[in-house]
Amino acid sequence: EVQLVESGGDLVQPGGSLRLSCAASGFTFTNFWMAWVRQAPGKGLEWVASIHPDGRARYYVDAVKGRLTISRDNAKNSLYLQMNSLRAEDTAVYYCARDPGYASDGFEFDYWGQGTLVAVTS
Amino acid sequence: DIQMTQSPSSVSASVGDRVTITCRASQSISGWLAWYQHKPGKAPKLLIYDVSSLYSGVPSRFSGSGSGTDFTLTISSLQPEDFATYYCQQADSVPPAFGQGTNVEIK
């Protein structure tokens, strides 16, 4: 059974840092692109970042470029999101998601975790 | 960047009703469109990929159609477990964009 379990969400002050983790199991982690998708309170889903199976290609939404960094450790079947210079608008539930690889040039997501809450407030 | 616009933003329906949700892209996205179901506090679920392909385990009452810029998700006979928010998402190019969501409520 595919499982994605996020952790690391917390209450943090503006300008602060946080590292989210996602533990993956039930599939061959090294075969799949992985992503982070977020949902701000009362808002819809927003893609944040995606990473190639070997970690060398990474893509980000413009709003987080230079502040959030996606990475992975294939030996540990884990995905990460390093969050620096956090802003109030980064407040959201962050979901880890797997890309099944159907789309040739874009991203789709077939398995999602339950999410972890990041709240940026003074 | 491609923008996605869903309508309606909310729909009230009864069990057994046929429900249709539409999604419009700001430019043609060929065959790369997905639909998701999301319930509060739960992980989103992939329902449809590549416009009309039913994801594994998804009931056949869900179907997708469309081409170019206009797409539709249809629930042929609404069931109690279908009350949720539904999102379309373009997978044609980066950045992937979601529609704003359609909340399917109990009438």
Side-chain angles (χ1 to χ4, degrees), chain A residues 29-49:
Chain A
F29 188 66
T30 52
N31 285 353
F32 293 88
W33 284 79
M34 297 296 295
W36 289 97
V37 179
R38 67 186 179 183
Q39 183 177 34
K43 303 293 185 181
L45 299 172
E46 179 186 36
W47 169 80
V48 174

Side-chain angles (χ1 to χ4, degrees), chain A residues 97-108:
Chain A
R98 189 184 83 166
D99 186 334
Y102 300 142
S104 57
D105 295 317
F107 304 121
E108 291 169 315

